[in-house]
């Protein structure tokens, strides 16, 4: 009978959480110092390689974060952070749908390829080749085609996000399915276990660490895909629309575009954290990981 690992005490858990927060703050402070130090040195010496540094190309980070609590110059009214958070929620909807769609397709594709070497040899090169096509070339095609079918524009963006999501999930699922313990596989076959039983009782559980590794990558990729997909879709409600608007005002006030990038990065980090939490709940509490 398996024995459960002793649960961490609240004090120990608090120390671990405090340590993680401290590391995060220290790294953030170091990156801030590097940015400001690079900016100060290049402006002081007048260096222009690899690019000229000034208030337009590298604004003070304090000015970028201060811009979040000022009114935007686009004339839409309201604080910039309020506009960007609403846009982030809209983009999050598209990214979440695309992430779920792409992850599901990638998982099913990986499982299917793992069951047939002929299918794997025949289809895998095309799966790989699909990722060599620039997403900027794919996005307009998807938007125009789905638009002709009267599909909602935001769902077209979700499809573009799914395009960036499915590949790592498919490859890692295939790798994980093939990494099942050979002795366990032989044991199940000796008991005449069906193909489906072997898949769901052995291969899929053994593939979970591989799958979640891909999901961590795909989570942030889905946000990137959603933002890129909003550009040809002419969607103004998401972060992609805000990037286009504030790009027009970049020469006058670059901090607004940089602030938009900060919110976009925060959205990607939020998606990443959700996947990490799901992994802790599913993988680390699996029976095979309890001793």
């Amino acid at each position: 009978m398996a024995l459960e690992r002793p649960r961490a005490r609240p004090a120990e858990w608090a120390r671990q959480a405090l340590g993680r927060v401290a590391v995060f703050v220290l790294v953030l402070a170091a990156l801030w110092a590097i940015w400001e130090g690079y900016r100060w040195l290049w402006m002081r010496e007048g260096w222009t390689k690899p690019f000229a540094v000034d208030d337009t190309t590298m604004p003070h980070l304090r000015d970028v974060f201060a811009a979040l609590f000022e009114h935007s110059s686009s004339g839409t009214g309201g604080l910039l952070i309020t506009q960007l958070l609403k846009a982030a929620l809209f983009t999050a909807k598209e990214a979440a749908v695309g992430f779920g769609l792409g992850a599901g397709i990638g998982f099913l594709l990986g499982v299917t390829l793992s069951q047939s070497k002929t299918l794997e040899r025949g289809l895998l090169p095309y799966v790989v080749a699909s990722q060599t096509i620039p997403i900027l070339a794919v996005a307009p095609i998807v938007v125009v085609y789905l638009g002709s079918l009267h599909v909602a524009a935001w769902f077209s963006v979700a499809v573009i996000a799914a395009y960036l999501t499915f590949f790592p999930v498919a490859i890692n699922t295939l790798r994980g399915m093939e990494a099942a313990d050979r002795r366990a596989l032989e044991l199940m076959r000796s008991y005449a276990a069906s193909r489906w039983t072997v898949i769901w009782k052995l291969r899929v559980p053994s593939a979970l660490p591989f799958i979640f590794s891909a999901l961590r990558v795909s989570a942030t990729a889905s946000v990137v895909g959603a933002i890129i997909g909003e550009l040809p879709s002419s969607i103004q409600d998401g972060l992609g629309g805000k990037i286009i608007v504030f790009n027009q005002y970049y020469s006058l006030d670059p901090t607004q575009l940089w602030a938009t990038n900060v919110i976009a990065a925060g959205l990607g980090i939020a998606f990443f954290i959700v996947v990490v939490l799901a992994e802790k709940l599913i993988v680390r509490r699996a029976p095979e990981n309890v001793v």
Side-chain angles (χ1 to χ4, degrees):
M1 181 177 179
L3 299 177
E4 291 188 3
R5 294 175 179 174
R7 294 183 179 179
R9 296 177 180 179
E12 181 181 353
W13 182 88
R15 284 195 300 270
Q16 293 175 353
L18 184 60
R20 293 190 182 97
V21 172
V23 171
F24 175 81
V25 172
L26 287 175
V27 172
L28 181 61
L31 294 175
W32 193 302
I34 291 172
W35 176 282
E36 294 293 342
Y38 182 96
R39 182 182 187 278
W40 173 82
L41 180 61
W42 256 247
M43 291 182 68
R44 177 177 178 272
E45 299 297 332
W47 295 336
T48 58
K49 302 294 184 179
F51 59 89
V53 176
D54 53 33
D55 290 335
T56 300
T57 57
M58 287 188 70
H60 283 294
L61 290 181
R62 65 174 181 269
D63 294 335
V64 173
F65 286 96
L68 290 170
F69 303 96
E70 298 174 356
H71 291 273
S72 69
S73 58
S74 62
T76 54
L79 296 178
L80 179 61
I81 190 171
T82 303
Q83 299 179 38
L84 293 181
L85 288 178
K86 290 181 180 179
L89 288 176
F90 187 88
T91 301
K93 176 186 71 173
E94 300 166 332
V97 173
F99 176 72
L101 183 63
I105 293 174
F107 174 76
L108 293 176
L109 182 60
V111 171
T112 302
L113 295 181
S114 70
Q115 300 305 300
S116 172
K117 288 295 181 182
T118 301
L119 275 178
E120 181 180 346
R121 287 192 294 267
L123 293 180
L124 192 57
Y126 296 99
V127 174
V128 174
S130 69
Q131 300 302 298
T132 64
I133 304 174
I135 187 64
L136 289 176
V138 174
I141 298 174
V142 173
V143 170
V144 172
Y145 175 73
L146 293 182
S148 66
L149 300 178
H150 304 290
V151 175
W154 72 266
F155 188 78
S156 300
V157 175
V159 171
I160 297 169
Y163 177 80
L164 291 181
T165 301
F166 91 95
F167 178 74
V169 177
I171 296 300
N172 274 33
T173 299
L174 175 60
R175 181 185 175 192
M177 295 284 287
E178 294 176 344
D181 191 325
R182 296 299 176 187
R183 293 171 297 179
L185 186 59
E186 292 174 1
L187 179 62
M188 294 193 72
R189 287 174 176 171
S190 69
Y191 283 103
S194 66
R195 180 186 293 266
W196 285 108
T197 300
V198 173
I199 290 175
W200 295 113
K201 297 293 185 180
L202 176 60
R203 292 191 181 274
V204 169
S206 69
L208 284 178
F210 296 87
I211 294 172
F212 274 100
S213 295
L215 291 177
R216 290 197 297 270
V217 176
S218 298
T220 54
S222 66
V223 175
V224 174
I227 293 175
I228 293 176
E230 289 173 347
L231 304 182
S233 304
S234 299
I235 294 178
Q236 299 297 317
D237 297 328
L239 289 174
K242 296 301 180 184
I243 289 174
I244 293 177
V245 171
F246 294 135
N247 183 57
Q248 300 173 2
Y249 297 93
Y250 187 81
S251 59
L252 298 176
D253 187 3
T255 58
Q256 294 182 109
L257 184 57
W258 281 99
T260 305
N261 293 335
V262 169
I263 298 299
L267 181 59
I269 292 172
F271 270 59
F272 180 87
I273 291 175
V274 169
V275 173
V276 170
L277 293 177
E279 181 180 13
K280 288 182 180 294
L281 292 174
I282 297 174
V283 176
R284 297 187 181 181
R285 293 187 179 183
E288 62 270 18
N289 292 327
V290 177
V291 296

